[in-house]
Amino acid sequence: MKTGLVTGGTRGIGAAIATALRDAGYRVAVNYAGNDEAAARFAEETGIAAYKWSIADYDACAEGVAKIEADLGPVDVLVNNAGITRDVMFHKMTVEDWRAVVDVNLNGVFNMTHQVFAGMRSRRFGRIVNISSINGQKGQMGQANYSAAKAGEIGFTKALAQEGARFNVTVNAICPGYIATDMVMAVPEAVREKIIAQIPVGRLGEASEIARSVLFLVSDEAGFMTGSTLTVNGGQYFV
Ligand code: CAA
């Protein structure tokens, strides 16, 4: 039985990924940073243990992953899913808005992957999936911080894929489009309607549709797929 760890795993896309992994027979742990109530509800409903720390904090990541590995065994699958937004036009963006998003969405990917990569390498198996975004591919007004961090994840994916390949450690990115989660629901309704009008399939995506893509990428059968960016956006943007 393999062990999977999903960051930001108690809500939205992360929760869908965690439960899909559990249903596919993985031992699963999730990390979360802030919402204790949602985490308690998630843990009760799914039986998946939720561990609290901020992925923006390197030492907290080292401690958190060590605890999970003591509880469940070495991490075979890491899904870097946790992410935040601080949407604001650039001329009004503060340095705090910039740093908060880059610290979680990009530095968090380093902080987490760094804890597990050497072990995966030495065990000759690993699957790392980075949940980037359509807005890392196309850019998005109001998201200079988020788009930069999400594009950074794609570069990180391509570089690390080259390092992991010889050791059967694959590193891939998924770029979800607009998915029906709390994050997208926080976009002002009038703006959200405009966005949905730009999606050829005519609706927001479901978190489960991203989870299914993750299941494929982490499977043993996907060993020849690494460094890729899987685009799952309802046709909103073609790369
Ligand atoms: N698509 C189309 N039009 C958009 C847009 C978008 N994503 N974002 C803003 N606009 C439009 C607005 O509708 C508005 O147009 P009108 O003047 O014709 O009404 C114009 O741009 C200016 O927007 P606001 O009046 O809202 O200006 P503001 O300064 O109050 O706020 C903003 C600007 C912060 C960018 C706000 O519009 C906003 O939050 N937009 C959403 C940005 C976005 O798409 N965020 C993605 C969040 S979900 C996510 O990040 C997950 C993921 O990976 C996809």
Side-chain angles (χ1 to χ4, degrees), residues 13 84-89 91-92 105 131-136 138 140-143 146 150 175-179 181-188 190-196 198 236:
I13 293 174
I84 61 168
T85 54
R86 293 279 187 281
D87 292 1
V88 59
M89 293 301 203
H91 64 284
K92 290 188 269 184
N105 297 13
I131 306 299
S132 177
S133 166
I134 184 175
N135 293 340
K138 73 171 183 59
Q140 170 58 48
M141 61 187 290
Q143 289 200 308
Y146 187 89
K150 291 295 181 181
C175 286
Y178 283 76
I179 309 298
T181 61
D182 293 347
M183 185 183 272
V184 169
M185 291 319 190
V187 171
V191 176
R192 204 166 59 240
E193 291 307 319
K194 276 192 186 173
I195 293 169
I196 294 171
Q198 297 164 9
Q236 189 181 346

Side-chain angles (χ1 to χ4, degrees), residues 148-236:
K150 291 295 181 181
E153 276 188 61
I154 296 172
F156 173 82
T157 298
K158 291 177 178 176
L160 199 61
Q162 295 179 43
E163 296 192 19
R166 284 186 294 144
F167 303 98
N168 197 22
V169 178
T170 68
V171 189
N172 290 286
I174 296 178
C175 286
Y178 283 76
I179 309 298
T181 61
D182 293 347
M183 185 183 272
V184 169
M185 291 319 190
V187 171
E189 197 181 344
V191 176
R192 204 166 59 240
E193 291 307 319
K194 276 192 186 173
I195 293 169
I196 294 171
Q198 297 164 9
I199 305 175
V201 304
R203 63 173 174 86
L204 296 173
E206 296 296 329
S208 60
E209 293 175 305
I210 304 305
R212 275 195 285 278
S213 307
V214 173
L215 278 188
F216 165 66
L217 288 174
V218 303
S219 66
D220 289 353
E221 294 79 3
F224 202 55
M225 189 155 176
T226 194
S228 73
T229 303
L230 198 56
T231 295
V232 188
N233 66 22
Q236 189 181 346

Side-chain angles (χ1 to χ4, degrees), residues 17-76:
I17 295 169
T19 50
L21 286 171
R22 180 205 59 188
D23 293 348
Y26 291 79
R27 256 189 309 258
V28 182
V30 299
N31 144 277
Y32 75 101
N35 191 332
D36 290 318
E37 204 183 299
R41 201 175 328 117
F42 171 83
E44 195 184 310
E45 280 171 15
T46 63
I48 296 171
Y51 296 75
K52 183 176 183 177
W53 77 85
S54 167
I55 61 161
D57 178 338
Y58 185 87
D59 294 338
C61 290
E63 229 175 88
V65 172
K67 181 152 194 347
I68 287 169
E69 293 201 321
D71 292 347
L72 300 186
V75 172
D76 304 296

